[in-house]
Amino acid sequence: MSFDQYHEPVNELSDETRTFARMIVSLTEEAEAINWYEQRISVEKNKDAKAIMENAQQEEFKHFGMDLEFLLRQKPVWQATLKEILFKKGDIVNLGKKGEDAAE
């Protein structure tokens, strides 16, 4: 059986690559859900409904973070890059350049 996340024959991919592909898809789905909730929250007038949506969005954000952490543990170069960018003050583009340098 083939899925859209595979661009190569699935039977030729390692278990690790298939897991990686699943987690990338999961990360993408969580990001989409966060976006959908953001849009719904921005137009919702009912405060109780809005609070429920904000809670649900926070759950999606947690899942996004867990997916991202899993992927970073699989790719030390990505981890080195993001350590120079995330949770730092300063110009994001310059931090990105530092991240590229750190990954080399």
Side-chain angles (χ1 to χ4, degrees), residues 12-29:
E12 294 181 25
L13 299 174
S14 68
D15 288 344
E16 293 81 14
T17 299
R18 288 194 306 270
T19 295
F20 188 84
R22 286 184 202 109
M23 293 304 291
I24 288 287
V25 169
S26 181
L27 183 77
T28 302
E29 290 169 348

Side-chain angles (χ1 to χ4, degrees), residues 6 9 11 13 19 24 29 42 62 83 85-86 94 96 104:
Y6 301 121
N11 59 330
L13 299 174
T19 295
I24 288 287
E29 290 169 348
S42 75
K62 176 184 77 174
K83 279 184 177 180
I85 301 169
L86 299 177
N94 288 333
E104 293 176 352

Side-chain angles (χ1 to χ4, degrees), residues 23-46:
M23 293 304 291
I24 288 287
V25 169
S26 181
L27 183 77
T28 302
E29 290 169 348
E30 298 300 345
E32 287 176 346
I34 291 165
N35 178 39
W36 296 335
Y37 279 116
E38 190 69 21
Q39 292 177 44
R40 291 172 188 158
I41 290 164
S42 75
V43 298
E44 183 54 55
K45 305 280 189 252
N46 183 288

Side-chain angles (χ1 to χ4, degrees), residues 40-102:
R40 291 172 188 158
I41 290 164
S42 75
V43 298
E44 183 54 55
K45 305 280 189 252
N46 183 288
K47 68 176 181 146
D48 293 330
K50 188 172 190 170
I52 292 166
M53 289 179 211
E54 289 169 341
N55 181 272
Q57 184 188 44
Q58 189 62 33
E59 282 294 309
E60 303 297 351
F61 189 69
K62 176 184 77 174
H63 299 154
F64 178 90
M66 292 165 43
D67 290 347
L68 180 60
E69 180 62 22
F70 176 87
L71 292 166
L72 293 176
R73 290 180 185 188
Q74 309 309 303
K75 300 288 186 180
V77 171
W78 291 9
Q79 194 173 70
T81 300
L82 292 187
K83 279 184 177 180
E84 297 299 322
I85 301 169
L86 299 177
F87 310 109
K88 306 255 181 161
K89 295 190 183 292
D91 182 271
I92 296 170
V93 173
N94 288 333
L95 293 171
K97 290 175 185 172
K98 289 180 185 178
E100 285 178 332
D101 293 342

